[in-house]
């Protein structure tokens, strides 16, 4: 990338301009999705600003409550959830909202209902807030046929039915990665303009990577295929170089690195969490959608991740996602175990 040339560019592709361009390719479009996305972008900007000044504003620390997952809520978790719920409801384009922070789904009042369901984790990786590690927002969007009488079944759909997914990472820069079903694009927030600018067009994950990302502290509780795969990463056969371990502990940051550099991100089931730990609707599905759109794969240990049909809004699942060839290796290990 020619950074000097980029600094002098005047033809800036903002995320709003990008979405409007995409909208123009669909004459039947009424602009509802564009309006919804603009409200999501606004929420991301607000949270980014809050994260950047969290210490000064005394937003760091615990809010004194636990969420539906039994996890202690950080002050920023609560603020971020409020921001996104209000932004999505006020868009007038949503009918059901599912947040990690809320035990029940939010059904939008009839006067403000629209055709979209949004599932989201308002602040993923919030346990890392106090030490300055990258955290982020994850979201997925479904369209429903009948939004006048929305039901929970309309959001308990397989991930392959999503019309869009993305995440916003709050780190050394604020980066929003989005797919509307035709590739993956990354936008970086220019603080001087207050706009997300296209900086990573048409992201393609390498077919094979040199990095694996997993919490090895859980290794004693892993199943056979996961343990075997990680062993192969460290002690490869045929004299090839071992993979490097990189694990941040913030899903957005780990998946973002995997998307750009290749490799594999693993959060397997284990003896402590036999159903896995990551939530299907607002963590597994959006990230799997992005990986597939970028040319990678996502696998649960049993099936393609996007084929899962969740039965509850906070259901959990194991997940292996990343470069196509790397995920093929873990799939082969699970297939071999199934035969035996």
């Amino acid at each position: 990338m020619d950074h000097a040339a980029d600094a002098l560019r005047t033809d800036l592709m903002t995320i709003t301009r990008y979405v409007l361009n995409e909208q123009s390719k669909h004459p039947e479009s009424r602009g509802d999705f564009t309006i919804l996305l603009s409200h999501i972008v606004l929420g991301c900007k607000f949270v980014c600003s809050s994260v950047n000044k969290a210490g000064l504003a005394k937003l760091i620390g615990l809010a004194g409550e636990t969420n539906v997952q039994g996890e202690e809520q950080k002050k920023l978790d609560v603020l971020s959830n409020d921001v996104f719920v209000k932004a999505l409801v006020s868009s007038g384009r949503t009918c059901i909202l599912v947040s990690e922070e809320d035990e029940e789904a939010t059904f939008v009042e009839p006067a403000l209902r629209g055709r979209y369901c949004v599932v989201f984790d308002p602040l993923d990786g919030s346990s890392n807030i106090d030490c300055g590690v990258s955290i982020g927002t994850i979201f997925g969007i479904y369209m429903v046929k009948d939004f006048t009488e929305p039901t929970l079944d309309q959001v308990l759909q397989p991930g392959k039915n999503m019309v869009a997914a993305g995440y916003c990472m709050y780190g050394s820069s604020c980066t929003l990665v989005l797919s509307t079903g035709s590739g993956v694009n990354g936008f970086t927030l220019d603080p001087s303009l207050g706009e997300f600018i296209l900086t990573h067009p048409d992201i393609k994950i390498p077919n094979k990577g040199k990095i694996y990302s997993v919490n090895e502290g859980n290794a004693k509780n892993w199943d056979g295929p996961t343990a075997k795969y990680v062993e192969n990463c460290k002690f490869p056969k045929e004299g090839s170089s071992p993979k490097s371990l990189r694990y941040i502990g913030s899903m957005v940051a780990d998946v973002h690195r995997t998307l750009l550099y290749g490799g594999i991100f693993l959060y397997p089931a284990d003896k402590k969490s036999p159903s896995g730990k990551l939530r299907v609707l607002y963590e597994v599905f959006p990230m799997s959608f992005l990986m597939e759109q970028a040319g990678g794969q996502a696998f649960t240990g049993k099936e393609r991740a996007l084929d899962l049909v969740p039965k509850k809004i906070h259901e959990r699942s194991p997940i292996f996602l990343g470069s196509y060839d790397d995920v093929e290796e873990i799939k082969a290990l699970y297939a071999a175990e199934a035969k035996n």
Side-chain angles (χ1 to χ4, degrees):
M1 184 181 289
D2 187 343
H3 292 285
D6 279 352
L8 299 173
R9 277 189 347 189
T10 54
D11 183 26
L12 300 176
M13 177 63 78
T14 67
I15 191 166
T16 304
R17 179 180 161 194
Y18 172 82
V19 174
L20 286 171
N21 285 354
E22 290 298 303
Q23 180 187 318
S24 68
K25 297 175 185 176
H26 303 277
E28 74 284 359
S29 175
R30 302 184 305 177
D32 286 352
F33 179 78
T34 304
I35 292 167
L36 172 60
L37 196 65
S38 71
H39 281 72
I40 291 174
V41 167
L42 178 62
C44 291
K45 288 178 183 176
F46 187 100
V47 174
C48 178
S49 174
S50 299
V51 167
N52 286 343
K53 61 189 179 188
L56 295 172
K58 298 183 180 178
L59 288 167
I60 284 176
L62 297 176
E65 299 177 11
T66 57
N67 64 13
V68 63
Q69 318 298 338
E71 300 160 342
E72 291 184 313
Q73 287 181 303
K74 300 278 187 173
K75 292 175 186 176
L76 266 177
D77 275 325
V78 177
L79 174 69
S80 303
N81 191 52
D82 287 349
V83 165
F84 276 103
V85 168
K86 286 171 181 169
L88 291 165
V89 170
S90 66
S91 73
R93 301 301 184 275
T94 60
C95 55
I96 308 173
L97 309 178
V98 174
S99 167
E100 181 195 25
E101 300 299 328
D102 295 327
E103 185 171 359
E104 304 291 339
T106 298
F107 289 86
V108 179
E109 61 183 274
L112 290 171
R113 274 180 197 158
R115 63 177 63 202
Y116 293 103
C117 299
V118 182
V119 294
F120 60 100
D121 183 347
L123 205 60
D124 176 74
S126 56
S127 61
N128 289 315
I129 290 172
D130 294 5
C131 60
V133 170
S134 295
I135 52 182
T137 298
I138 309 172
F139 61 90
I141 303 172
Y142 290 98
M143 185 187 287
V144 299
K145 292 176 181 175
D146 178 16
F147 58 86
T148 54
E149 296 292 336
T151 63
L152 210 52
D153 288 342
Q154 292 171 321
V155 80
L156 294 175
Q157 302 183 50
K160 63 187 177 186
N161 291 355
M162 281 183 170
V163 295
Y167 59 81
C168 189
M169 184 176 71
Y170 316 112
S172 57
S173 59
C174 180
T175 304
L176 196 153
V177 175
L178 173 71
S179 175
T180 56
S182 53
V184 181
N185 291 279
F187 303 82
T188 303
L189 183 63
D190 183 335
S192 62
L193 297 175
E195 292 279 5
F196 280 99
I197 308 298
L198 180 63
T199 51
H200 297 75
D202 196 22
I203 296 171
K204 296 293 183 191
I205 187 170
N207 282 336
K208 194 171 181 65
K210 299 177 181 178
I211 295 171
Y212 72 104
S213 183
V214 66
N215 181 359
E216 289 209 50
N218 294 327
K220 72 173 186 177
N221 295 313
W222 287 344
D223 61 18
T226 302
K228 181 66 176 171
Y229 181 81
V230 172
E231 183 185 349
N232 291 344
C233 289
K234 296 177 178 180
F235 306 101
K237 297 169 184 175
E238 303 165 3
S240 55
S241 298
K243 289 186 187 303
S244 297
L245 170 64
R246 298 284 186 272
Y247 187 68
I248 298 165
S250 174
M251 188 187 190
V252 168
D254 279 312
V255 170
H256 185 66
R257 184 201 56 248
T258 304
L259 194 62
L260 295 184
Y261 300 160
I264 188 168
F265 170 84
L266 309 88
Y267 213 117
D270 57 38
K271 292 172 187 172
K272 291 190 299 179
S273 304
S275 298
K277 191 170 180 185
L278 296 180
R279 272 66 62 145
V280 173
L281 272 179
Y282 41 81
E283 290 175 327
V284 170
F285 278 171
M287 293 309 201
S288 299
F289 188 90
L290 290 166
M291 277 297 167
E292 287 201 5
Q293 285 293 319
Q297 290 195 81
F299 178 62
T300 67
K302 295 180 180 177
E303 62 185 318
R304 176 192 177 206
L306 293 180
D307 287 339
L308 264 177
V309 181
K311 295 179 176 63
K312 300 179 293 183
I313 60 173
H314 297 296
E315 190 169 313
R316 300 172 188 254
S317 171
I319 187 64
F320 307 87
L321 53 79
S323 295
Y324 193 94
D325 292 349
D326 290 323
V327 177
E328 277 295 301
E329 288 182 33
I330 194 95
K331 285 167 72 176
L333 290 168
Y334 272 99
E337 184 187 61
K339 282 184 180 178
N340 294 334

